[in-house]
Amino acid sequence: VEYYRQRASAGLIITEGTQPSAVGQGYLHTPGIHTPEQVAGWRRVADAVHGEGGRIVVQLMHAGRVAHPDNKGGLESVAPSALAAPNEMFTADGMKPHPVPRALETDEIPGIVEDFVHAARSAVEAGLDGVELHAANGYLLHQFLAPGSNRRTDAYGGSPENRARLVVEVAHAVAEAIGPERVGIRISPAHNIQGATEEDPADVEATYGALVEGIAPLGLA
């Protein structure tokens, strides 16, 4: 609460990456916004920032495969494909390799969308000013966008339009739930980080063209 209160005069604060579900946690001791207790905690933060005249939105970050079960009570990691992220994850017992995640089944995708919707509604309930969808830096939404981490053959993989589909669906669902004026999105085309590689310029242009075309009508913040 105090950390964010001190920064209220900066104008708009975008919080640290905050998981929309328990499975979505990647790093050790990161905050979530999917339980009543977490909502109560964020309400204290929102009240403190607003009391100093600031504004604050929560960054919704599902880490996907950039995670370790030791950091989230033994829960498995999920991703578009059963491909381990490179390098290692910090845990309470030191650095450990990222395990191979479980590839999400097609019929599980609506549940991922609903996790983001529930988290966004929880943010509004907590009095926060909105959300930023984290579709960058190699985390779950970016893992779907990037051909280096998405080897799916269903409607969420293969073509640029298919790889952009989940991000578009999440943006539409969250905007409908809390209003587009409360929703932002973060992308990092061709960042090529954490194994979410996008090395073909034509594919990058097609993928993010499909993403932008899909969300442009929403009028996001």
Side-chain angles (χ1 to χ4, degrees):
V1 174
E2 180 63 12
Y3 177 90
Y4 284 116
R5 186 198 65 78
Q6 291 172 347
R7 286 151 180 79
S9 63
L12 174 65
I13 296 171
I14 300 174
T15 73
E16 63 202 290
T18 302
Q19 56 262 16
S21 67
V23 170
Q25 182 171 357
Y27 300 94
L28 190 63
H29 302 316
T30 52
I33 189 159
H34 53 87
T35 70
E37 294 81 6
Q38 291 163 348
V39 171
W42 281 113
R43 185 175 293 114
R44 293 173 57 213
V45 172
D47 289 347
V49 170
H50 291 156
E52 297 292 333
R55 292 291 179 265
I56 181 168
V57 301
V58 64
Q59 184 186 74
L60 299 182
M61 185 181 96
H62 191 306
R65 68 181 190 168
V66 183
H68 197 282
D70 288 1
N71 292 346
K72 49 183 175 178
L75 293 173
E76 66 180 350
S77 296
V78 297
S81 302
L83 301 168
N87 304 317
E88 297 179 313
M89 170 59 68
F90 178 80
T91 75
D93 299 317
M95 301 299 290
K96 295 185 179 182
H98 292 107
V100 176
R102 181 176 64 79
L104 287 159
E105 299 290 343
T106 306
D107 61 7
E108 292 181 285
I109 300 296
I112 297 294
V113 176
E114 182 53 37
D115 286 341
F116 278 94
V117 169
H118 177 258
R121 287 180 171 143
S122 296
V124 172
E125 181 184 349
L128 297 161
D129 296 297
V131 302
E132 179 185 70
L133 304 176
H134 197 350
N137 300 4
Y139 299 112
L140 183 70
L141 295 182
H142 192 195
Q143 289 160 28
F144 271 84
L145 288 166
S149 48
N150 184 346
R151 306 289 175 81
R152 301 177 72 89
T153 58
D154 64 357
Y156 294 91
S159 69
E161 293 78 13
N162 282 359
R163 282 184 276 110
R165 188 182 308 277
L166 176 59
V167 183
V168 172
E169 288 182 353
V170 168
H172 275 260
V174 170
E176 182 178 358
I178 67 170
E181 72 282 358
R182 294 179 179 269
V183 183
I185 189 166
R186 177 175 180 165
I187 58 175
S188 59
H191 193 181
N192 295 326
I193 190 172
Q194 302 194 120
T197 50
E198 301 166 306
E199 298 176 324
D200 179 348
D203 185 85
V204 172
E205 182 176 355
T207 302
Y208 287 89
L211 170 56
V212 171
E213 184 177 337
I215 66 175
L218 296 175
L220 299 182

